[in-house]
Amino acid sequence: MAIEQNIPPRKENTPASNSSGGGSDGNPNDPNDKTRRRRGKPRRDGKGSNNKDSKQTSPAAGKNKTRLASKSSEALTMQTLHSDTDTDIDGKGTLDSADDNAAANAEGGIKSIGDRRIIPFMKIEKPMAILSIFLVIASIIAIAVNGLNFGLDFTGGVSTDVRYEQPAEQTEVVKALADNGFNDAVVQYLGTRQELLVRLPPQSDNIEGLNTTLGQALNLPNNTAEISNVNIIGSQVGNEVYLNSVMALGLALLSMLGYVALRFQFKLALGAVVSLFHDAIVTIGVFALFGFPFDLTVLAAILALIGYSLNDTIVVYDRIRENFRRVRGISPRQTIDLSLTETLRRTIMTISTVMLVVLAMMFLGGDGLYWFAVALFIGLIAGTYSSTYIASSIPLAMGLSRDDFVVKVKPEFEEEIVSFNDPKMFEQD
């Protein structure tokens, strides 16, 4: 008797289109299921699934994308101002959107560069120019009428080195000299609090008599003074110091003019020198107006001030040159406003840190550094103001534009377009 076995029909080994299972009846969890599984699309990195719903971004990748996006946005901020800005080959842009022009006029002619808003510094250019002219004229009048209260370095006098048995205070020494008829004395420490330098106005006594009277005047209670040497500085030496000081100021200004002219452009160099002259003359004018003593320490402060002010001006000029080359579609006035806005944070941080040091010298440095710190304090205020307005407004008034910073191709290096009209080219065989 034959036994019939129900053998199921043999299925063809045809791959299924479903990427998640073995076949139409396949079980992915069955180890005996030999049906091959195929992906609908190849995986990009060999990890994870290809489904759109399962794509996730890791935190590290998100941070990297954020950083790249911020950097790219900064790099592209200055390349494109508006979508409707047309720029020609020469770099002169034209804004055709009426909405952009209306928004710019509402903001005083200042446009938005990318996501940044620029401060209209040049909007008050004329009032600041009038203020600068007034300060310079007032300073010159004060110097001509009142004159400078020159110290012993310029007028001459007596200089002596004194050593005490015990540490002495400067105020006590000045008071003791004033009680004995030696007025307007300047006392400075020489390394230690026991060694001092005493400077006095010109005296009528000779050196021998001056040693005796000074020895008696410098003696403090329970603290004897010993005079090592006495030097008499004549007026001729003071005049030489005065002339050398004026020559040093003039040479410094000429050197700055040449440096900025070679480094940037002559229009910027002229603005930098005028701003430096403004800082120096205003500081000297304040000393002449109030009768502050003017000695070599004050002169050193003015020379240091010229270097500081030039450094601040160079930072602004470097940004102006960079923006003229890369930003198109805005006027030169707006370019300068953009440059001043970008350097404003750096200027505030620099002036704040330097001012803290100057105030510390003024109130804690003693009499030897007081007038040096006062001169720096006045000059820092004038230098920050002049770097923002005088050094930037003068080149703008002289017609500063993008053409001053873009290198142009000389005519002899331009390629000529030559066309050949050969009659044989048009002949047909």
Side-chain angles (χ1 to χ4, degrees), residues 78-218:
M78 300 308 168
Q79 295 179 2
T80 305
L81 297 178
H82 300 281
S83 60
D84 55 352
T85 301
D86 297 332
T87 306
D88 56 12
I89 298 176
D90 296 333
K92 297 179 180 180
T94 58
L95 297 177
D96 298 332
S97 176
D99 296 336
D100 293 339
N101 293 331
N105 293 329
E107 295 292 336
I110 303 303
K111 296 185 179 296
S112 176
I113 308 298
D115 296 333
R116 300 181 183 178
R117 301 297 296 177
I118 52 181
I119 303 174
F121 286 98
M122 294 294 106
K123 190 175 182 180
I124 56 174
E125 174 190 5
K126 292 182 180 179
M128 290 301 177
I130 295 174
L131 177 62
S132 301
I133 294 173
F134 172 76
L135 291 177
V136 171
I137 293 176
S139 300
I140 294 175
I141 293 175
I143 295 172
V145 175
N146 297 340
L148 292 173
N149 184 15
F150 289 112
L152 301 179
D153 300 318
F154 298 102
T155 61
V158 178
S159 175
T160 178
D161 297 334
V162 183
R163 180 178 180 83
Y164 284 93
E165 294 180 355
Q166 299 177 2
E169 297 293 336
Q170 292 177 335
T171 55
E172 295 180 358
V173 177
V174 173
K175 185 177 181 303
L177 291 172
D179 294 339
N180 289 271
F182 296 99
N183 298 319
D184 299 330
V186 178
V187 179
Q188 295 177 344
Y189 288 116
L190 295 177
T192 63
R193 298 174 64 88
Q194 295 179 249
E195 298 179 358
L196 291 88
L197 173 65
V198 178
R199 292 184 295 176
L200 299 170
Q203 305 294 323
S204 58
D205 297 339
N206 54 15
I207 296 180
E208 296 180 358
L210 192 60
N211 282 332
T212 304
T213 54
L214 274 178
Q216 297 176 356
L218 290 172

Side-chain angles (χ1 to χ4, degrees), residues 54-356:
S54 61
K55 291 182 180 180
Q56 296 180 356
T57 304
S58 62
K63 292 180 181 179
N64 293 332
K65 289 182 178 180
T66 304
R67 293 175 183 173
L68 292 175
S70 62
K71 291 181 180 179
S72 62
S73 63
E74 271 183 39
L76 295 176
T77 296
M78 300 308 168
Q79 295 179 2
T80 305
L81 297 178
H82 300 281
S83 60
D84 55 352
T85 301
D86 297 332
T87 306
D88 56 12
I89 298 176
D90 296 333
K92 297 179 180 180
T94 58
L95 297 177
D96 298 332
S97 176
D99 296 336
D100 293 339
N101 293 331
N105 293 329
E107 295 292 336
I110 303 303
K111 296 185 179 296
S112 176
I113 308 298
D115 296 333
R116 300 181 183 178
R117 301 297 296 177
I118 52 181
I119 303 174
F121 286 98
M122 294 294 106
K123 190 175 182 180
I124 56 174
E125 174 190 5
K126 292 182 180 179
M128 290 301 177
I130 295 174
L131 177 62
S132 301
I133 294 173
F134 172 76
L135 291 177
V136 171
I137 293 176
S139 300
I140 294 175
I141 293 175
I143 295 172
V145 175
N146 297 340
L148 292 173
N149 184 15
F150 289 112
L152 301 179
D153 300 318
F154 298 102
T155 61
V158 178
S159 175
T160 178
D161 297 334
V162 183
R163 180 178 180 83
Y164 284 93
E165 294 180 355
Q166 299 177 2
E169 297 293 336
Q170 292 177 335
T171 55
E172 295 180 358
V173 177
V174 173
K175 185 177 181 303
L177 291 172
D179 294 339
N180 289 271
F182 296 99
N183 298 319
D184 299 330
V186 178
V187 179
Q188 295 177 344
Y189 288 116
L190 295 177
T192 63
R193 298 174 64 88
Q194 295 179 249
E195 298 179 358
L196 291 88
L197 173 65
V198 178
R199 292 184 295 176
L200 299 170
Q203 305 294 323
S204 58
D205 297 339
N206 54 15
I207 296 180
E208 296 180 358
L210 192 60
N211 282 332
T212 304
T213 54
L214 274 178
Q216 297 176 356
L218 290 172
N219 288 328
L220 301 177
N222 300 323
N223 195 1
T224 306
E226 179 183 355
I227 299 177
S228 59
N229 55 5
V230 177
N231 298 321
I232 297 179
I233 303 173
S235 59
Q236 182 178 1
V237 177
N239 291 331
E240 292 179 359
V241 173
Y242 176 77
L243 294 176
N244 291 335
S245 302
V246 174
M247 291 177 61
L249 285 174
L251 183 60
L253 294 177
L254 289 177
S255 301
M256 302 305 178
L257 176 65
Y259 168 74
V260 180
L262 293 175
R263 182 69 172 82
F264 295 96
Q265 216 270 343
F266 180 76
K267 296 176 184 177
L268 296 179
L270 188 60
V273 171
V274 172
S275 66
L276 295 179
F277 175 78
H278 168 271
D279 301 340
I281 201 67
V282 168
T283 305
I284 297 174
V286 172
F287 271 74
L289 180 63
F290 295 99
F292 296 154
F294 191 91
D295 53 9
L296 288 179
T297 58
V298 178
L299 177 64
I302 293 175
L303 292 176
L305 173 65
I306 290 176
Y308 169 83
S309 181
L310 181 67
N311 177 58
D312 197 15
T313 304
I314 289 298
V315 173
V316 176
Y317 281 176
D318 186 69
R319 188 56 59 91
I320 288 175
R321 179 178 60 179
E322 181 181 357
N323 287 335
F324 265 115
R325 289 177 175 176
R326 67 176 182 174
V327 180
R328 302 181 182 182
I330 59 177
S331 63
R333 183 181 300 273
Q334 293 171 349
T335 303
I336 292 178
D337 287 336
L338 174 63
S339 304
L340 293 174
T341 303
E342 291 177 345
T343 57
L344 179 62
R345 181 180 300 178
R346 182 259 177 200
T347 302
I348 293 175
M349 293 176 62
T350 304
I351 188 65
S352 301
T353 52
V354 176
M355 193 65 73
L356 287 176

